[in-house]
């Protein structure tokens, strides 16, 4: 089943035929109307809960196409959505009616090996970036699923396996080329339009369309010590309590996420465990391999695991290790909180909720962050929450619409139950579409400056199909 229903009526034409023809003559890419080639591909996104039909899709090949598409949207007063990799849980990459800018054709990754810099197009996936940079033993910190788009991930902040060692994705952004709401192409960096550069690093797609990212690269791999240690869920309380104490002392090279779910049928798991609840510790050591064996020993020594498959793996492979569990096409709903620590009451509440998991693909994960990420001042970038040690994502995932209310209800209940233990901030890239009222809270003290920069760069809120920051 896909989220497409070919029996549904097409949305009304976004622009008159003569304007469409003129646009087609101008573009290097393609303008796609409903039912034309490319239209369904562009509007179909990762989360199958989202089924929207733009009036027109412009599949851009470069900044000039973006400028044309924005001009059309402005002239006709169209609702606008911007798509990078199409992974955002809230479905902000696609709108009903109006115009969708699809950047997925802009997928270049050009590595300057000498200077350890990469130029990346806004349609590139994390896998594209890893593939090209790892050819030279280099990497930029991104996320943990290789099909995620680099654009949306970067603009919201971006964290993953390299964050504790080398910072967030935004901490490694050197510059961005941006087409503004009035059609001007500008460069944002520490020295050019620094206010815009500040806002882009966490403020999402509110300020313009980024047509090129320039990243700083670091030497990584190509082999890294990484893998999973899987425990019976019955031991979760004890393991999580000791896990957090060990992580309090962890060096930046060590990152270990905790995942609670039913065991998928992974080939290295004994068959009798498939479908039973487990606690998975997913870890990486980004330094010297021998040191890593010593540094991970205490974590790997916790309890009596069912299996321990931590060993040297190619970094590119580890970056894609979770892809099979995160493939597009399922219905998904997320809830997120930031935590400074996992206190006993929080662990108990999580364990009680996982005891009532609504489905075999649902999970709660605790992303282990901090390290280099926490050494950046909260007001140095728009992303404000530098003191979190764990970012929780309640990842509810199922197949049938009839299960919507049970799954969404479970996630909301868990979210409420653990709220007293949370820091109050939230990662905008993990927020579903019903959380528009949480944006101020998400940005905390940085919201005011974001709203002022929004007024300067997008006073009419053309870029509003997103986690929206209203112009001050
Ligand atoms: C399976 C999965 C795993 C994930 N894992 C992680 C993780 O490990 N770490 C992490 O930090 N995040 C993670 N995320 C969250 C991810 O960062 C967000 O979903 C992000 O929005 C994805 O970017 P995208 O380009 O694919 O999304 P899209 O849905 O295409 O874009 C999201 C929004 O970003 C804006 N946008 C996109 N491109 C541009 C552009 N070029 N210019 C201006 N605005 C733009 C638009 O407002 C757009 O609506 C994960 C998401 C999924 C689905």
């Amino acid at each position: 089943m896909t989220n497409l229903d070919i029996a549904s009526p097409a949305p009304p034409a976004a622009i008159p035929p003569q304007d469409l023809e003129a646009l087609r003559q101008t573009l290097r890419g393609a303008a796609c109307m409903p039912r034309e080639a490319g239209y369904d591909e562009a509007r179909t996104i990762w989360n199958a809960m989202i089924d929207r039909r733009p009036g027109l899709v412009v599949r851009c090949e470069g900044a000039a196409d973006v400028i044309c598409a924005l001009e059309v949207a402005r002239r006709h007063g169209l609702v606008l959505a911007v798509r990078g990799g199409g992974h955002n849980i809230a479905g902000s990459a696609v709108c009903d009616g109006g115009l969708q800018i699809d950047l997925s054709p802009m997928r270049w990754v050009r590595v300057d090996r000498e200077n350890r810099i990469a130029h990346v197009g806004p349609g590139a996936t994390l896998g594209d970036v890893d593939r090209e940079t790892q050819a030279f033993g280099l990497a930029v910190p991104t996320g943990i699923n290789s099909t995620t788009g680099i654009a949306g991930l970067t603009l919201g902040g971006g964290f993953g396996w390299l964050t504790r060692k080398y910072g967030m994705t935004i901490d490694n952004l050197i510059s961005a080329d941006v087409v503004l709401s009035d059609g001007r192409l500008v460069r944002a960096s520490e020295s050019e339009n620094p206010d815009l550069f500040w806002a882009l690093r966490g403020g999402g797609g509110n300020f313009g369309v980024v047509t090129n990212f320039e990243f700083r690269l670091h030497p990584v791999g190509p082999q890294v010590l990484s893998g999973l240690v899987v425990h019976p869920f019955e031991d979760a309380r004890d393991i999580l309590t000791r896990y957090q104490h060990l992580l309090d002392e962890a060096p930046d090279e060590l990152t270990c996420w905790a995942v609670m779910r039913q065991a998928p049928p992974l080939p290295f798991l004994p068959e009798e465990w498939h479908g039973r609840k487990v606690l998975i510790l997913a870890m990486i050591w980004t330094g010297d391999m021998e040191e890593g064996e010593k540094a991970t020993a205490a974590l790997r020594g916790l309890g009596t695991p069912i299996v321990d498959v931590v060993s040297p793996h190619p970094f590119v492979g580890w970056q894609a290790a979770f892809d099979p569990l995160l493939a597009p096409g399922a219905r998904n709903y997320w809830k997120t909180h930031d935590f400074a620590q996992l206190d006993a009451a929080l662990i108990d509440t999580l364990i009680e909720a996982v005891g009532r998991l609504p489905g075999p693909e649902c999970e709660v994960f605790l992303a282990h962050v901090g390290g280099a990420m926490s050494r950046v001042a909260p007001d140095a970038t728009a992303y404000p929450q530098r003191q979190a040690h764990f970012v929780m994502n309640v990842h509810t995932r199922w197949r049938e619409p009839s299960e919507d209310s049970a799954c969404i209800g479970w996630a909301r209940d868990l979210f409420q139950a653990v709220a007293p233990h949370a820091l109050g901030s939230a990662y905008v890239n993990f927020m579903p579409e019903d959380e528009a009222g949480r944006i101020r809270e998400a940005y905390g003290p940085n919201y005011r400056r974001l709203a002022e920069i929004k007024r300067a760069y997008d006073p009419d809120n053309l870029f509003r199909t997103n986690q929206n920051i209203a112009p001050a």
Side-chain angles (χ1 to χ4, degrees):
M1 282 260 296
T2 72
N3 66 349
L4 301 181
D5 172 10
I6 51 166
S8 294
I15 57 173
Q18 65 276 17
D19 288 16
L20 178 63
E21 196 39 47
L23 176 66
R24 286 189 159 140
Q25 298 288 335
T26 321
L27 291 174
R28 200 148 66 82
C32 313
M33 295 295 284
R35 308 219 164 96
E36 289 183 350
Y39 175 86
D40 279 337
E41 198 185 320
R43 81 177 188 90
T44 305
I45 59 172
W46 180 81
N47 186 1
M49 293 283 280
I50 310 292
D51 180 13
R52 299 196 187 122
R53 288 157 202 279
L56 172 65
V57 173
V58 178
R59 308 199 80 186
C60 298
E61 293 282 350
D65 286 355
V66 174
I67 292 168
C68 285
L70 287 182
E71 199 275 322
V72 167
R74 272 197 318 273
R75 183 147 42 91
H76 295 278
L78 301 176
V79 171
L80 180 77
V82 178
R83 176 190 172 128
H87 265 45
N88 195 276
I89 186 72
S92 52
V94 56
C95 46
D96 263 327
L99 189 155
Q100 182 193 24
I101 289 184
D102 176 16
L103 301 166
S104 53
M106 296 167 65
R107 218 170 148 170
W108 60 83
V109 181
R110 189 169 63 76
V111 177
D112 172 350
R113 177 189 194 163
E114 303 258 288
N115 295 305
R116 292 190 176 165
I117 284 172
H119 287 270
V120 179
T125 63
L126 309 189
D128 295 335
V129 177
D130 289 333
R131 172 85 182 92
E132 295 298 329
T133 53
Q134 275 290 280
F136 310 103
L138 299 169
V140 62
T142 60
I144 58 120
N145 166 230
S146 79
T147 59
T148 307
I150 190 74
L153 176 128
T154 303
L155 294 170
F159 57 79
W161 300 121
L162 300 180
T163 296
R164 287 176 46 77
K165 177 70 179 161
Y166 295 119
M168 300 181 74
T169 312
I170 48 172
D171 301 333
N172 292 282
L173 186 65
I174 300 170
S175 75
D177 294 351
V178 192
V179 182
L180 302 176
S181 59
D182 61 9
R184 275 181 305 139
L185 174 67
V186 300
R187 192 161 182 269
S189 68
E190 291 289 2
S191 57
E192 292 166 83
N193 302 297
D195 52 348
L196 176 62
F197 188 55
W198 179 88
L200 289 177
R201 288 174 292 162
N206 275 286
F207 304 94
V209 181
V210 176
T211 53
N212 190 70
F213 294 90
E214 184 186 9
F215 291 111
R216 187 176 306 113
L217 303 175
H218 304 273
V220 173
Q223 297 271 317
V224 287
L225 186 66
S226 55
L228 310 181
V229 181
V230 184
H231 290 273
F233 184 64
E234 295 71 56
D235 299 345
R237 182 172 289 107
D238 174 51
I239 302 287
L240 280 177
T241 307
R242 292 159 66 198
Y243 154 89
Q244 117 137 329
H245 288 142
L246 289 173
L247 294 191
D248 278 345
E249 307 298 324
D252 293 354
E253 286 79 5
L254 180 61
T255 298
C256 182
W257 292 24
V259 187
M260 286 173 276
R261 57 169 296 144
Q262 288 182 19
L266 298 167
F268 53 80
L269 260 183
E271 227 176 286
E272 70 266 24
W273 279 95
H274 294 179
R276 286 166 68 182
K277 281 187 193 121
V278 289
L279 166 69
I280 301 169
L281 300 184
M283 65 186 80
I284 178 171
W285 172 263
T286 52
D288 170 82
M289 226 40 105
E290 256 174 53
E291 259 181 63
E293 291 288 350
K294 287 184 214 138
T296 55
L299 266 178
R300 295 168 69 184
L302 292 176
T304 314
I306 304 160
V307 72
D308 174 337
V309 287
V310 177
S311 65
H313 294 113
F315 178 68
V316 173
W318 177 240
Q319 283 282 92
F322 294 88
D323 287 6
L325 300 177
L326 298 170
R331 303 174 81 75
N332 293 271
Y333 183 80
W334 291 0
K335 280 293 197 184
T336 184
H337 276 305
D338 294 333
F339 298 117
Q341 56 181 16
L342 307 178
D343 58 51
L346 169 58
I347 292 176
D348 282 348
T349 312
L350 291 172
I351 288 173
E352 191 275 327
V354 174
R356 294 181 287 105
L357 275 181
E361 295 186 84
C362 299
E363 65 187 18
V364 177
F365 75 73
L366 297 163
H368 173 214
V369 291
M373 168 178 170
S374 67
R375 293 191 287 274
V376 175
D379 62 356
T381 63
Y383 183 92
Q385 187 43 271
R386 298 289 184 160
Q387 294 317 310
H389 201 190
F390 299 96
V391 179
M392 177 191 73
N393 194 353
V394 181
H395 178 187
T396 330
R397 183 176 164 88
W398 66 102
R399 301 285 155 172
E400 297 302 327
S402 58
E403 294 169 38
D404 286 4
S405 82
C407 290
I408 293 172
W410 175 80
R412 287 182 178 155
D413 288 350
L414 171 49
F415 171 78
Q416 292 294 354
V418 297
H421 307 278
L423 287 166
S425 52
Y427 182 34
V428 289
N429 273 351
F430 284 176
M431 283 164 49
E433 60 174 331
D434 57 11
E435 289 201 336
R438 209 179 165 201
I439 303 290
R440 275 175 190 268
E441 195 185 330
Y443 286 112
N446 286 349
Y447 185 83
R448 205 190 159 95
R449 185 172 175 201
L450 278 166
E452 279 160 12
I453 297 174
K454 175 78 173 178
R455 184 179 56 195
Y457 284 93
D458 183 22
D460 300 325
N461 208 359
L462 178 66
F463 303 111
R464 63 179 175 277
T465 310
N466 47 38
Q467 301 294 3
N468 197 235
I469 295 159

